[in-house]
Amino acid sequence: MSAGVRAAAKVCNQHEELCSRAYNDVTSISTHASFAVTNQTKPTKPGTQFKGINDQLNDGVRGLHFNIMQGSSASEVSLCYPDCTVNNGGTLLDSLKVVKAWLDANKNDVVTIFLEGVDTNASPAAVVKAFTDSGADKYALMGKPESWSTLETMIDDGTTLVVFAEDPNIAAANSKGYFISYKGTVLKLEGPFKYGEEWTCGPWDRSTESIMLIPHYIVQTTTYGGATYDNMPYPFNLGTTNGYQYEFHAVSCRGGQSIWVNFMEVDFYDQGDLKTPTLKMNALPYDGDNKKNFYPEFFDADPDAPIASASTHAVPLSTSWHVAL
């Protein structure tokens, strides 16, 4: 390499600064029912997202939530929300093929999949088969580590897919151990919430959990196809929900719990501004960042004063507040 030419810095999940961070020291956006896409301008069915999985990953989403259910037969696993009569997002296999192709093309990114449904009727064997048939298993982290590696280590090892399973039967089904049980690992906070309810930060009985997942989305009770559902998406006031309330929710729950906020699970991730507060949580520079946010101007007169670096802004800490939309 010629003098004066510097090798390109390695990036991990789109940022050089994240390479040295442990997996459980990073905050990421995750999409609730990632597969449940609906048309933004002319919706024909309820959905939780306006863009598909490939676009989500390209836009910086690093957590995908798959609600798994039995498909047309016991050997098939479908992704549905709230059930398959409302939004059938196709098969688990097809979505995993998308994830695998994306990981093939993006070697410096770590993606997490949450297999949701604590009492799912999906066949554990069929779920395992979807991972092997898609080829996504080649990237999977094998087993819960005693301590989480840095993103750079995971990338160098080729273990860029982490899979958590909410149902203990699904978690136990994989003999290779790449379905990591929520139990003892994922602290899933209370939620979702209805319009006018409070964001809260329980449960408060953490034991060995090292990953914090915050459901940050609003649901409503409504009728569809002659049936009433209590957990339908609420596609209103998204600039507020996916704006300052996102940041307040994350920082408040971080203040109330003893582990880092790792995944903020949202609906309609492309609405509002999730990027800025997520950068703040990761102590990364963001548009409009300024050293005056961190120390007064008079420090500039001191040649020995430390150079300001991006960090989270201080915001009021509480364990709950009213959803003011």
Side-chain angles (χ1 to χ4, degrees):
M1 182 178 297
S2 61
V5 178
R6 181 184 175 190
K10 186 172 185 177
V11 297
C12 303
N13 282 18
Q14 301 182 321
H15 297 279
E16 178 184 356
E17 298 92 333
L18 296 183
C19 288
S20 61
R21 308 242 187 116
Y23 171 82
N24 64 330
D25 286 336
V26 176
T27 300
S28 299
I29 301 166
S30 65
T31 47
H32 169 228
S34 311
F35 54 87
V37 177
T38 189
N39 187 288
Q40 183 174 1
T41 56
K42 295 182 179 180
T44 59
K45 59 185 177 182
T48 59
Q49 308 299 330
F50 293 136
K51 292 184 177 182
I53 290 170
N54 195 71
D55 285 337
Q56 293 172 28
L57 294 171
N58 285 337
D59 289 344
V61 169
R62 290 296 174 268
L64 303 171
H65 294 257
F66 291 165
N67 302 64
I68 53 175
M69 302 180 185
Q70 180 177 307
S72 58
S73 67
S75 62
E76 183 180 85
V77 181
S78 291
L79 302 180
C80 301
Y81 186 82
D83 62 32
C84 294
T85 66
V86 177
N87 193 312
N88 188 328
T91 66
L92 173 62
L93 175 60
D94 286 343
S95 286
L96 289 175
K97 287 179 179 178
V98 174
V99 175
K100 194 266 184 184
W102 194 89
L103 289 172
D104 286 343
N106 296 271
K107 300 295 188 181
N108 286 350
D109 290 270
V110 176
V111 173
T112 301
I113 290 176
F114 296 87
L115 298 176
E116 300 213 322
V118 68
D119 294 312
T120 180
N121 62 354
S123 162
V127 175
V128 173
K129 190 172 187 298
F131 274 83
T132 55
D133 287 354
S134 67
D137 62 328
K138 95 175 208 182
Y139 291 109
L141 179 70
M142 301 296 180
K144 176 185 176 182
E146 291 186 8
S147 61
W148 293 99
S149 298
T150 64
L151 294 189
E152 184 171 19
T153 297
M154 296 173 72
I155 288 165
D156 290 344
D157 291 345
T159 54
T160 53
L161 180 63
V162 180
V163 184
F164 295 114
E166 188 173 25
D167 188 303
N169 293 319
I170 300 294
N174 192 320
S175 61
K176 294 183 179 180
Y178 57 74
F179 293 166
I180 302 173
S181 177
Y182 274 37
K183 184 176 176 60
T185 306
V186 177
L187 179 65
K188 184 176 182 179
L189 299 194
E190 295 160 344
F193 301 91
K194 296 284 184 70
Y195 176 85
E197 291 181 341
E198 294 179 337
W199 304 110
T200 57
C201 295
W204 305 103
D205 54 350
R206 187 180 79 85
S207 55
T208 61
E209 291 86 357
S210 56
I211 301 297
M212 190 194 303
L213 166 62
I214 301 180
H216 179 80
Y217 55 94
I218 296 174
V219 296
Q220 61 180 325
T221 299
T222 189
T223 300
Y224 181 82
T228 299
Y229 296 88
D230 290 328
N231 54 348
M232 286 292 230
Y234 186 81
F236 309 106
N237 301 303
L238 295 171
T240 300
T241 303
N242 290 354
Y244 77 88
Q245 287 189 355
Y246 173 95
E247 182 172 3
F248 280 9
H249 196 181
V251 175
S252 294
C253 290
R254 172 64 186 94
Q257 297 285 352
S258 58
I259 57 175
W260 194 246
V261 177
N262 300 113
F263 294 94
M264 292 291 291
E265 182 184 6
V266 301
D267 282 344
F268 310 108
Y269 79 94
D270 57 323
Q271 305 298 298
D273 178 15
L274 301 177
K275 179 181 178 180
T276 298
T278 304
L279 289 172
K280 290 181 183 181
M281 290 294 292
N282 285 315
L284 296 171
Y286 57 91
D287 291 342
D289 194 4
N290 190 300
K291 63 184 180 182
K292 293 178 183 178
N293 294 329
F294 308 103
Y295 66 96
E297 282 186 335
F298 63 77
F299 278 141
D300 288 338
D302 181 359
D304 296 322
I307 297 174
S309 60
S311 63
T312 57
H313 287 304
V315 299
L317 294 181
S318 66
T319 57
S320 67
W321 60 89
H322 208 67
V323 177
L325 296 178

